[in-house]
Amino acid sequence: QNELRNARLREYSAVRTYSVANLNGKIHARETVRMEYVAPNRKTFVTTSEEGSSLVRHMVLKRLIESESSAATGKEHHDSSVIPANYTFSFLGAEDVDGHHCYVLEAFPKRKDKYLFEGKVWIDSRDFAIVRIAGHPAKKLSFWITRADFVRQYEKIGDFWLPAKDETSVSVRLYGHKILTIEHLTYTVNGVRTTAAVKRNPYAFDVSERWKSD
């Protein structure tokens, strides 16, 4: 099903807002970019606004954008796919998520790779598309990011499933525990403009309690 959808996806663009906040919600850094994808594997990012700590933007937000750009091409693009070649899956059951009946799988990466993750995947039972992923990277992301637990939500836009929102509880060296949020808005898919509806994520980590327990 992914191959069929990818064959029809010629191009898309989105406005993204990246932000880093503390556990009380205070924003330390924010960057808004326009991302453009052209099949089969080219992504470009143009920053439209930025505010807050230049160090956090440079060492965290810009590094994330650079990693995604490089992951879109070459070997890393294929290695990041959620497929049996990269993961061992265990079926956990079924669950309804945002009106979608989903199969729930536990995913174990077959190698230590920062583009892979360990966690759970919710798959729409009709479209066989990923609705949500929750977990942590299979390998440390960078010197500055010492820990990261994430939830990514997808939304069906037309015939395609695209990211809607990412929430990550992350430990940043020198800056402590932070919340990284990426909102994906105002999609244009194959020339048709729409707006992603970001929903409250019932699976988001209770970050303050999680860090207290640690």
Side-chain angles (χ1 to χ4, degrees):
Q1 292 299 315
N2 279 340
E3 289 175 357
L4 291 174
R5 283 187 286 266
N6 288 339
R8 298 195 301 269
L9 184 59
R10 302 186 305 273
E11 61 182 12
Y12 71 88
S13 64
V15 175
R16 290 186 185 177
T17 299
Y18 297 75
S19 60
V20 176
N22 64 17
L23 300 184
N24 296 320
K26 179 182 178 180
I27 300 295
H28 290 287
R30 178 184 286 125
E31 186 157 350
T32 300
V33 304
R34 181 175 180 82
M35 186 280 295
E36 295 186 351
Y37 166 84
V38 177
N41 58 13
R42 183 166 65 87
K43 285 185 178 180
T44 57
F45 297 82
V46 176
T47 298
T48 58
S49 68
E50 53 188 5
E51 60 183 279
S53 169
S54 59
L55 179 60
V56 174
R57 293 200 315 270
H58 176 71
M59 301 308 298
V60 180
L61 301 184
K62 292 187 184 300
R63 291 287 179 88
L64 286 171
I65 294 170
E66 290 170 0
S67 293
E68 181 173 352
S69 181
S70 64
T73 59
K75 175 178 178 293
E76 292 171 346
H77 169 73
H78 300 288
D79 285 350
S80 64
S81 301
V82 184
I83 56 177
N86 294 325
Y87 294 91
T88 298
F89 296 101
S90 176
F91 181 71
L92 299 179
E95 187 174 340
D96 290 336
V97 176
D98 295 332
H100 303 284
H101 186 66
C102 299
Y103 302 123
V104 186
L105 305 178
E106 192 161 12
F108 300 94
K110 292 186 175 180
R111 64 183 182 280
K112 295 292 185 181
D113 187 323
K114 68 179 181 179
Y115 294 107
L116 301 183
F117 69 93
E118 180 178 344
K120 294 181 180 179
V121 184
W122 286 258
I123 300 175
D124 183 85
S125 62
R126 295 184 60 183
D127 287 358
F128 293 99
I130 294 175
V131 175
R132 176 177 288 123
I133 298 175
H136 57 269
K139 184 180 179 181
K140 183 178 176 181
L141 293 176
S142 72
F143 171 82
W144 291 97
I145 300 176
T146 60
R147 168 178 175 171
D149 296 296
F150 73 91
V151 177
R152 165 172 278 196
Q153 300 168 259
Y154 289 82
E155 183 174 8
K156 188 174 184 180
I157 299 177
D159 295 329
F160 306 100
W161 287 81
L162 298 169
K165 187 173 184 179
D166 298 75
E167 292 181 332
T168 306
S169 59
V170 59
S171 182
V172 183
R173 198 177 300 274
L174 303 181
Y175 276 81
H177 307 313
K178 306 299 177 186
I179 308 301
L180 169 66
T181 302
I182 307 173
E183 294 184 343
H184 311 252
L185 303 169
T186 318
Y187 273 103
T188 299
V189 182
N190 288 346
V192 179
R193 188 173 185 271
T194 185
T195 299
V198 178
K199 306 177 181 67
R200 167 65 181 166
N201 185 358
Y203 291 86
F205 298 100
D206 184 346
V207 179
S208 60
E209 294 301 321
R210 184 177 181 85
W211 289 117
K212 287 177 184 177
S213 66
D214 290 345

